[in-house]
Amino acid sequence: MSRQLMRNPARLLFSEALGRSQAATAAGASARETCSSSSSAAAGAGTPGDEGKKNVVTERHGTIMTTGINRPEARNAVNQETAAMLLQAFTSFEDDTSLTVAVLHGIGGNFCAGYDLKELAHNPTSIKLEQDVTKGPGPMGPSRIKFSKPVIAAVSGYAVAGGLELSLLADLRVVEQSAIFGVFCRRFGVPLIDGGTVRLPRLIGLSQALDLILTGRPVGAQEAYEFGLANRIVPNGQVLQCAIELAKQISAFPQQCMRGDRSSAYYSVFDASSFTEALQFEFDTGVQVISKESLPGAKKFSLGVGRGGKL
């Protein structure tokens, strides 16, 4: 697989896609996270704001970009217009060198209930599918982008069908106690074509992935954590705040080294044809940061910074 497969095509075809669019209970202590007092930016998250009729609301918090799906009346189901707006937001994030982490969330209590089947039923020609995945975006928007920077999904309520697939494009999933994952589209004969059958088995293993894919059953936050699908469980109403705090922690690290290690992990899972090839990629990527970040880091360590594992 080309390392550029999911990046440049989405960017090149964004304008075309935009033109078309315009015609569970408490978890164990190891999983639970409680965030500090809400920042003014995160306060009120999860409820419709004053954004008018914008289907996607993007905000900037320092070097962090938050992107909220804002169709609460449809449990944040994604239609063509919303998909194009999500693609634009995440293409801008990928291109903006001043941004370090993106957080995807849903406004109004749900992450995303998948593709808008009502729109599809009433207007079957509204969705145009490009068979070659290198030549256009996915139906949900940014699902074919191969990011060079971390993305966090802040999941509340339902993350099902295409919404599950959107959560899978993220590196990490912070989920509320009452969140529900599932391949609910199984009931209606709608396939996973936004990376669900590709990413899910790699994240949680084939056996567990098939359990979700074949049955379409709901999976709560605790089970999702046990699967490895959820990375953090937080109290209801705190998911965006906690995701932003996690993004700030990640943003505080030396970025070139962190991104290189991240890139190597993805390469070893999706692209490398052998263990040796993966090791070579890891070395070639890592050696580039030694003079820029490792040596200055070593000097900080010698002065006592970060001793005892302190971040």
Side-chain angles (χ1 to χ4, degrees), residues 46-67:
T47 58
D50 299 324
E51 294 85 11
K53 294 185 180 300
K54 290 169 60 177
N55 288 353
V56 173
V57 180
T58 300
E59 297 179 348
R60 181 164 182 154
H61 310 275
T63 65
I64 297 162
M65 184 189 82
T66 61
T67 298

Side-chain angles (χ1 to χ4, degrees), residues 2-3 12 35 53 58 77 97 134 143 150 172 186 224 234 247 261 278:
S2 169
R3 297 186 61 215
L12 291 172
C35 301
K53 294 185 180 300
T58 300
T97 58
T134 68
S143 58
L172 301 172
R186 180 59 56 235
V234 302
D261 286 347

